Amino acid sequence: MRIAQIAPLAERVPPELYGGTERVVATLTAELVRRGHDVTLFASGDSLTAAPVDAVTERALRGAGAVADPLAYALLELGRAFARADQFDVIHSHLDYYALPFACLVRTPVLTTLHGRLDLPDLPAVFAECPGAPLASISDAQRAPLPWANWAATVYNGIDLAPYPFAPRPGDYFAFLGRISPEKNPEGAIVIARRTGIPLKIAAKVDDTDRDFYEARVKPLIDGRRVEYVGEIGEGDKGAFLGGALALLFPVVWPEPFGLALVEAMACGTPVLASRCGAVPEVVADGETGFLGDTLDELVAAASHLGELDRRRCRDWVETRFSGSAMADGYEAVYRHLVAAADPA
């Protein structure tokens, strides 16, 4: 098939450091190319991929310095992709709902994967305007605010397993990975670490929008010994960081759409202690690849049972459900269905 993949422009594909959606697009693109599909990637010009790149920016916007209006570049990217619509059998957008108005104007099937939260009050009107546009969710839980939307499938995010080698023996610290923000609840992770007496290492980025939260609420709790901030890390460092941990702490307090850090940790054999929020119960096998809780008290209590979990089971769980191959299988099935439904014959 001739497939267009439209990636966000905030990070390159794959990202150098943090960037969940861009990493998923990189993994999917690589697997589709490996399977023989003719894939064109719409992304920043510094992206590293086996597919040809159609770029409207030389570099990812986050690395390009101050950008007054990133939406302008997203619209340029979409305009360029949809101007070539007749060159593709299917267009796959990862820009949340931005592609929906364009999708209504072309005959080429367009699939939109939604990577973010859908419980915001302004979103129903957007999706109601394009009720026939096929959507893919990254978890069943993500769909809850919009159950009436045109859901084509749930396709779980997948990762390239190579950068996440299996670590059979647990480490002696807790890991917190991803982004420092109120909804990710790094404060809760620090509480768990302090109450269990287990050191915590935080590898996370701080966005400008979360800078005040970090300075006021998180930074004062970091002492460099029991709670250490190691900064933002890239894929090349995640395997050692996660594989060397006793567990990943994931005490989120929002409707988590997926939780890629959960999969990355389990791929290394590292179980998780996580809030039972959003998609987390779909990603983590409670009592097998980690423990879920509704309160910090429950997660603190569960920490004493981490030694009962089989780290090999964590790895096997990811290989079966959350590999790049499993993700590509899911999307290939959706592509075939959309192309067949659009065929005039």
Side-chain angles (χ1 to χ4, degrees):
M1 279 187 282
R2 300 170 302 164
I3 304 167
Q5 293 288 333
I6 308 177
L9 296 170
E11 306 286 349
R12 76 175 197 190
V13 177
E16 294 183 76
L17 296 171
Y18 181 88
T21 300
E22 293 88 349
R23 196 172 304 285
V24 167
V25 174
T27 302
L28 176 59
T29 298
E31 182 63 21
L32 291 173
V33 170
R34 189 189 68 79
R35 296 182 181 199
H37 295 289
D38 180 3
V39 182
T40 300
L41 176 63
F42 292 84
S44 61
D46 55 348
S47 295
L48 304 176
T49 173
V53 177
D54 192 325
V56 297
T57 61
E58 290 185 7
R59 299 180 60 197
L61 298 184
R62 185 179 174 206
V67 176
D69 187 2
L71 179 58
Y73 296 96
L75 291 177
L76 285 172
E77 181 183 39
L78 288 167
R80 183 171 293 187
F82 280 89
R84 298 178 56 185
D86 61 355
Q87 299 176 23
F88 305 113
D89 297 311
V90 65
I91 296 172
H92 188 176
S93 172
H94 300 268
L95 271 61
D96 291 322
Y97 55 81
Y98 292 169
L100 295 184
F102 294 85
C104 299
L105 303 176
V106 298
R107 298 182 65 179
T108 303
V110 179
L111 177 67
T112 293
T113 292
L114 300 167
H115 290 273
R117 65 189 302 173
L118 301 180
D119 61 331
L120 304 178
D122 302 313
L123 295 187
V126 176
F127 292 99
E129 189 69 20
C130 302
L135 308 174
S137 52
I138 55 175
S139 67
D140 291 338
Q142 185 193 29
R143 300 183 180 192
L146 300 171
W148 45 265
N150 186 26
W151 297 109
T154 289
V155 181
Y156 291 133
N157 287 336
I159 63 170
D160 177 7
L161 293 168
Y164 303 94
F166 175 62
R169 289 178 294 278
D172 58 0
Y173 61 88
F174 285 143
F176 181 95
L177 176 68
R179 178 166 53 91
I180 291 181
S181 62
E183 64 269 18
K184 296 295 186 178
N185 195 18
E187 295 169 285
I190 294 171
V191 169
I192 295 171
R194 285 182 168 176
R195 289 181 57 185
T196 58
I198 298 171
L200 172 65
K201 294 184 179 183
I202 300 173
K205 77 166 183 173
V206 182
D207 285 329
D208 290 341
T209 55
D210 297 313
R211 178 63 59 179
D212 290 343
F213 168 75
Y214 169 72
E215 295 289 343
R217 303 282 295 274
V218 180
K219 188 176 180 180
L221 303 177
I222 297 172
D223 60 16
R225 292 186 306 105
R226 305 303 296 180
V227 180
E228 179 184 358
Y229 178 58
V230 302
E232 185 180 0
I233 62 175
E235 190 169 60
D237 298 314
K238 286 183 183 179
F241 176 73
L242 293 170
L246 175 64
L248 174 76
L249 300 186
F250 200 81
V252 294
V253 290
W254 74 313
E256 177 66 57
F258 185 77
L260 200 63
L262 299 168
V263 172
E264 293 169 336
M266 292 185 296
C268 298
T270 300
V272 301
L273 293 175
S275 301
R276 193 179 281 107
C277 290
V280 175
E282 295 178 53
V283 179
V284 179
D286 191 15
E288 297 181 51
T289 66
F291 295 111
L292 307 184
D294 295 312
T295 66
L296 293 181
D297 287 342
E298 292 180 6
L299 295 179
V300 169
S304 62
H305 297 283
L306 286 168
E308 302 169 12
L309 300 179
D310 182 355
R311 291 176 70 91
R312 171 53 68 179
R313 169 62 173 147
C314 295
R315 175 72 177 197
D316 292 345
W317 177 254
V318 173
E319 289 180 348
T320 301
R321 295 169 63 89
F322 306 114
S323 67
S325 178
M327 175 173 60
D329 286 345
Y331 280 124
E332 274 187 327
V334 180
Y335 299 159
R336 287 193 295 268
H337 174 75
L338 295 180
V339 171
D343 188 346

